[in-house]
Each structure stands twice: as structure tokens, then as C-alpha cells.
Amino acid sequence: MTSTTDVHEERDPELPGRLLTIERDALVPLLRSRPDEDFSRPTEACPGWTVRDVLAHCSAALMR
């Protein structure tokens, strides 16, 4: 049986960074294809925030 310790030891430490790179590489072209006015739209999930605000907040993870 595999213990929790064994699972963590076998995990590739570079995997999270590679996954973020893949997500960024897929997301950036989609964002660049949107008109500027789309980024000024309000969001339902974050009242008072625009799409631009949410993207700025989340971009920190993609810049790691």
C-alpha cells in the first residue's frame, strides 16, 4: 500500500509550474482576441469587480 509520504516523494516538483505554463499559453491568446470593452464588464461572482480586476488578481499565479 502507498503511504502519503510515498506519494509526495514520487510527485514531480516541476509539475505545478508546467501546468501553469500550459494554462497561461492557452489563456493569453484568448484574452488578446477579446475587444478592450470586454475587460470593463462587471462580474457576477465578484460584485464591484470588472473582468480586468479578476484577471489582474489571478495573473499572479500565472506569473510564478
Side-chain angles (χ1 to χ4, degrees):
M1 175 155 53
T2 303
S3 72
T4 305
T5 303
D6 294 338
V7 170
H8 291 294
E9 289 175 5
E10 294 174 16
R11 193 184 88 162
D12 177 1
E14 299 298 318
L15 181 60
R18 286 198 309 271
L19 292 175
L20 285 172
T21 299
I22 291 167
E23 289 175 0
R24 181 202 60 209
D25 291 348
L27 181 60
V28 168
L30 293 173
L31 295 174
R32 287 186 175 150
S33 72
R34 304 304 312 162
D36 286 342
E37 57 270 10
D38 283 359
F39 298 98
S40 298
R41 296 181 63 174
T43 62
E44 291 183 28
C46 300
W49 287 39
T50 64
V51 171
R52 180 175 284 107
D53 296 332
V54 173
L55 288 170
H57 178 76
C58 295
S59 68
L62 296 175
M63 299 304 292
R64 282 182 43 181

